[in-house]
Amino acid sequence: MAQQRRVQLSTLRPTSTVCVLGTELSLDVCGSAPKDAVAFHVQGTPGVKLYVVHETQSVKLPSSVSRWPLAAGAEVLLAMDALSKDVGDEKVRISYFGEAGGVPVGRAMLYLTCVDISLDTDTSRSGAVSRTLLDKATWTWGPDGHGAILLVNCDRDDPKAETPDNRDTAVRSYADLKDMSQMVLRTRGPRTIFAGHRLLLHVDFSDADKVGVFYGGNSVALEEYKHVLGGSKLAYAIKPSRHQEESVFYVEGLAFPDVGFSGLVAFHVTLLESPEKGLLETPIFTDTVVFRVAPWIMTPNTAAPLEVFVCSVDNNEDFVAAVGALAEKAKCPLTVCPLLENRHDRWIQDEVEFGYVQAPHKTFPVVFDSPRDRGLKDFPVKSILGPDFGYVARQAPEGASSLDSFGNLEVSPPVTVRGKEYPLGRILIGSSFPRFGGRRMAKAVKDFLIAQQVQAPVELFSDWLQVGHVDEFLSFVPAPDRKGFRLLLASPSACYQLLKEKQEEGFGEAAMFEGLEAVPKPTINEILSNETLRKFNNYVQSCISWNRDILKRALGLAEPDIIDIPQLFQGDVAAGAEAFFPDMVNMLVLGRHLGIPKPFGPLVGGQCCLEERVRALLEPLGLTCTFIDDYFSYHVLSGEVHCGTNVRRKPFAFKWWHMVP
């Protein structure tokens, strides 16, 4: 339905007003009628379309009825579909008649100027701004959805700048402008009409701290771009140029969706009419556009790797070399974070999570910095934040626990669950559930993840582990069949089964940890007869089985989608569990190349029986297993290969706005 505005008329003096293309004016014929009038006649110049609404029937003029009774509720509607060449070049005259008819008892004249005012964005999500018949004031999800998209401008295009671009009110480069979304104001019609009216671009108070708007006038020079809207600036008066019909504004997002912010932001352009000097202006037309701020999106293990990160510390040269060799096999660049930047902190998986943001016109990676803040705390800002590489962080004012490290933040590949599609997968985080009073992920981090909407988080139980991260008992690897992946779960029962098999084959005296200095070397027989260890692993298995059931429900998995990786744990219920030998599911996945912690299992026929079993489980999927020795450099410090590495991956081909959360 067209935007409609009521116009008061007068029989004492002519009235002038503006009609915006695509809108209707409702003329108050009764309000201006002389007291003895009982009927009216209306006529207009050719550029005006007139309708009389009488007893709820709408009749287009001219019609066979020339006079209409002045009944309550009678109104005249008008619309115009061509721009005026001059101010007041179209008119409408209403003549009022008394009982006797004959000569009119009064006349009201209305002079009209038709202009076009339109605020447009990339509503159709094509990557370019265009005029559209779609409803610009609403935002809808799905492949047939519409509504513009805004990126949080959280990269740093000027290397000399102190802060990310969303924390300043300057345009520092053309690259900075390219991260923003365009909003185009079109004004057509006689230019003098705009001198007597004001055009305001404005944003709601509740949205003002979430956006910044820049305007360069008719100039392309960077220094001409001024911050005109956002923060404390709620409105900007536009002076339409005499020569230009379009004004291009650049809009940046300042904040990601979060608690209290759905991600939707509205902008309005309003035309104000000033009736007389000293009187307040009145709004006569408003156009509204809505943007949604693009969410931060995680990428799963199964996505193609683009860059591998590892830290160089005092005793891990061989580990760094092994990760480098694997990255080379996978044709993936390696970035080594030096000691000076990591300050003896090797756990790069725990400090950051790599994701991305995307709009139809632009995609760039964004690193999410955890509240953990140990030696690596400055690395994301100093070394990763840069041109087209964004940064976002959340703090834990209540104090960070181990569960706030991002080894405790994973995402599944795309899944369909009971008919509901999750084309970007589902986030997996560990918690103390079903135990009360345990550790939990910081509220700020969890709230942020939920608010992104596109990767609905699933809470798993990880507080049974000493460190407490989900990557200690699960991983995903690509597969050529079924859902395109397998879920790998650490499995004490699969490990006991394997060891029992080897014992029955006569290898009971084969020992663990051969070749490792100063490490006790229990045999298969000793492990199988250790009742305390077995009881503890029964408890661990029940914790993992609980998660298995949650994962099957939440990700729509069946048993053939899951592979049990033999693994034993040690510890006690109070202190929590840690891996008895290097935790093989805590692996680095680079396409079909897997970097798996070397388990140092019992040698059977010169081969580690644990490695052999894992190869037999994974190689039929077309995967290549490389076992990396992380025993002294990571394992004894309560982490493994995945904990000590990180990967920036290729964004999904699927566009997030095509989903329905």
Side-chain angles (χ1 to χ4, degrees):
M1 189 180 148
Q3 209 177 119
Q4 199 182 76
R5 177 167 67 92
R6 195 151 173 82
V7 176
Q8 311 299 325
L9 302 169
S10 167
T11 51
L12 302 176
R13 68 187 71 82
T15 309
S16 296
T17 195
V18 167
C19 179
V20 178
L21 212 56
T23 67
E24 287 180 349
L25 298 184
S26 159
L27 307 186
D28 180 11
V29 283
C30 297
S32 59
K35 67 175 189 314
D36 44 0
V38 294
F40 69 92
H41 169 71
V42 57
Q43 63 192 127
T45 49
V48 186
K49 285 199 243 166
L50 288 163
Y51 302 83
V52 172
V53 181
H54 186 69
E55 290 173 356
T56 73
Q57 297 267 309
S58 177
V59 180
K60 189 172 193 300
L61 299 189
S63 83
S64 55
V65 183
S66 67
R67 292 187 188 179
W68 299 87
L70 264 172
E75 65 174 330
V76 171
L77 296 182
L78 73 82
M80 299 173 75
D81 52 15
L83 292 171
S84 291
K85 291 191 170 52
D86 296 302
V87 174
D89 63 358
E90 298 285 352
K91 40 193 169 295
V92 172
R93 184 174 70 192
I94 293 175
S95 307
Y96 293 101
F97 297 92
E99 289 285 0
V103 183
V105 293
R107 282 201 177 102
M109 283 294 289
L110 175 64
Y111 290 91
L112 292 159
T113 308
C114 183
V115 299
D116 181 22
I117 297 170
S118 171
L119 193 58
D120 293 295
T121 57
D122 180 14
T123 308
S124 60
R125 304 171 184 165
S126 65
V129 177
S130 59
R131 293 198 75 159
T132 175
L133 296 171
L134 298 166
D135 182 359
K136 300 180 290 190
T138 59
W139 201 100
T140 56
W141 294 89
D144 302 318
H146 68 267
I149 290 161
L150 206 51
L151 295 174
V152 176
N153 191 10
C154 58
D155 66 343
R156 183 169 57 193
D157 286 313
D158 176 0
K160 298 190 290 292
E162 299 278 300
T163 57
D165 295 340
N166 59 335
R167 295 199 201 149
D168 62 28
T169 51
V171 174
R172 297 174 172 275
S173 65
Y174 291 107
D176 194 9
L177 278 181
K178 287 196 172 100
D179 296 338
M180 303 186 198
S181 296
Q182 288 189 2
M183 181 165 66
V184 177
L185 173 66
R186 294 184 171 90
T187 50
R188 296 188 302 151
R191 301 326 266 172
T192 48
I193 197 80
F194 293 110
H197 290 72
R198 275 215 312 161
L199 260 181
L200 277 192
L201 185 68
H202 51 111
V203 64
D204 299 342
F205 177 72
S206 57
D207 296 341
D209 58 342
K210 313 291 191 300
V211 287
V213 178
F214 295 88
Y215 180 50
N218 304 332
S219 171
V220 289
L222 269 184
E223 56 275 13
E224 293 301 319
Y225 280 89
K226 300 285 183 279
H227 180 260
V228 295
L229 217 53
S232 59
K233 298 171 188 165
L234 301 182
Y236 174 68
I238 301 142
K239 294 170 186 65
S241 129
R242 289 192 165 274
H243 319 291
Q244 232 170 344
E245 293 181 342
E246 289 191 356
S247 304
V248 181
F249 294 86
Y250 288 84
V251 188
E252 65 176 356
L254 304 183
F256 281 96
D258 212 327
V259 173
F261 176 45
S262 69
L264 292 175
V265 178
F267 289 96
H268 318 275
V269 66
T270 297
L271 184 66
L272 296 165
E273 192 170 55
S274 38
E276 284 173 39
K277 269 208 162 11
L279 287 178
L280 264 181
E281 300 163 306
T282 50
I284 58 173
F285 170 77
T286 292
D287 202 14
T288 296
V289 293
V290 169
F291 285 93
R292 183 180 286 280
V293 175
W296 178 76
I297 301 170
M298 285 178 68
T299 52
N301 263 357
T302 49
L306 297 175
E307 186 178 8
V308 180
F309 292 81
V310 66
C311 292
S312 167
V313 290
D314 286 342
N315 61 345
N316 77 339
E317 305 86 348
D318 294 348
F319 178 84
V320 171
V323 168
L326 185 76
E328 202 171 316
K329 267 191 215 168
K331 299 188 170 48
C332 185
L334 177 75
T335 296
V336 179
C337 173
L339 194 60
L340 206 63
E341 288 177 28
N342 67 51
R343 300 184 308 197
H344 305 279
D345 182 2
R346 68 193 70 206
W347 310 112
I348 196 160
Q349 182 67 228
D350 288 338
E351 185 60 39
V352 295
E353 187 69 48
F354 290 104
Y356 68 95
V357 292
Q358 183 169 50
H361 71 283
K362 179 95 192 233
T363 302
F364 61 81
V366 174
V367 63
F368 184 14
D369 189 3
S370 79
R372 160 185 186 270
D373 290 350
R374 289 185 14 207
L376 277 161
K377 81 182 177 78
D378 296 332
F379 172 68
V381 171
K382 283 191 174 158
S383 306
I384 298 177
L385 170 64
D388 283 348
F389 210 130
Y391 171 88
V392 62
R394 286 295 177 270
Q395 298 306 319
E398 68 270 34
S401 80
S402 170
L403 270 64
D404 296 319
S405 296
F406 286 167
N408 194 34
L409 174 61
E410 294 297 313
V411 68
S412 79
V415 289
T416 301
V417 187
R418 293 181 296 282
K420 175 150 180 61
E421 290 180 5
Y422 295 94
L424 304 173
R426 297 191 72 175
I427 286 170
L428 306 174
I429 56 175
S431 182
S432 58
F433 184 80
R435 196 196 274 184
F436 295 102
R439 299 167 293 178
R440 285 181 179 277
M441 184 175 261
K443 185 178 183 310
V445 174
K446 199 172 141 186
D447 286 347
F448 172 81
L449 297 171
I450 292 167
Q452 305 315 302
Q453 286 196 72
V454 293
Q455 295 178 307
V458 177
E459 224 167 316
L460 298 173
F461 173 38
S462 67
D463 197 32
W464 56 273
L465 287 149
Q466 187 187 316
V467 174
H469 297 174
V470 291
D471 72 349
E472 295 177 77
F473 64 85
L474 68 80
S475 186
F476 294 93
V477 294
D481 58 352
R482 293 190 64 80
K483 296 182 167 65
F485 68 88
R486 294 288 187 277
L487 165 65
L488 308 185
L489 287 177
S491 173
S493 59
C495 193
Y496 274 111
Q497 209 177 338
L498 174 64
L499 296 178
K500 189 93 185 92
E501 242 173 69
K502 297 302 166 195
Q503 186 186 50
E504 285 166 4
E505 288 168 17
F507 299 105
E509 286 307 306
M512 298 274 315
F513 307 126
E514 293 289 1
L516 292 175
E517 273 179 48
V519 176
K521 299 182 173 50
T523 63
I524 289 177
N525 290 337
E526 285 168 347
I527 291 168
L528 291 176
S529 62
N530 182 336
E531 274 310 305
T532 312
L533 186 67
R534 188 183 286 269
K535 267 190 193 146
F536 185 69
N537 275 282
N538 286 345
Y539 157 72
V540 166
Q541 185 61 63
S542 69
C543 295
I544 295 173
S545 295
W546 170 271
N547 286 311
R548 183 193 207 94
D549 296 338
I550 295 174
L551 287 160
K552 281 168 78 173
R553 279 196 307 275
L555 304 182
L557 305 181
E559 278 302 316
D561 299 314
I562 302 171
I563 295 176
D564 289 305
I565 300 294
Q567 187 63 47
L568 293 184
F569 291 83
Q570 61 189 5
D572 59 63
V573 175
E578 51 183 349
F580 178 67
F581 54 82
D583 185 356
M584 292 189 286
V585 295
N586 192 276
M587 63 177 70
L588 174 61
V589 180
L590 302 177
R592 53 187 193 81
H593 298 277
L594 310 181
I596 304 172
K598 187 175 178 59
F600 293 95
L603 299 178
V604 172
Q607 292 294 313
C608 164
C609 65
L610 289 166
E611 286 186 24
E612 203 168 33
R613 178 54 54 90
V614 168
R615 283 188 201 281
L617 291 168
L618 300 180
E619 285 178 351
L621 298 172
L623 302 168
T624 308
C625 301
T626 301
F627 290 91
I628 296 175
D629 177 0
D630 70 353
Y631 195 91
F632 293 114
S633 51
Y634 291 83
H635 171 70
V636 298
L637 302 170
S638 306
E640 313 286 354
V641 175
H642 186 258
C643 308
T645 55
N646 214 318
V647 185
R648 176 171 68 85
R649 298 181 184 273
K650 194 177 171 186
F652 285 99
F654 183 90
K655 308 291 183 225
W656 63 265
W657 51 89
H658 286 163
M659 77 176 283
V660 180

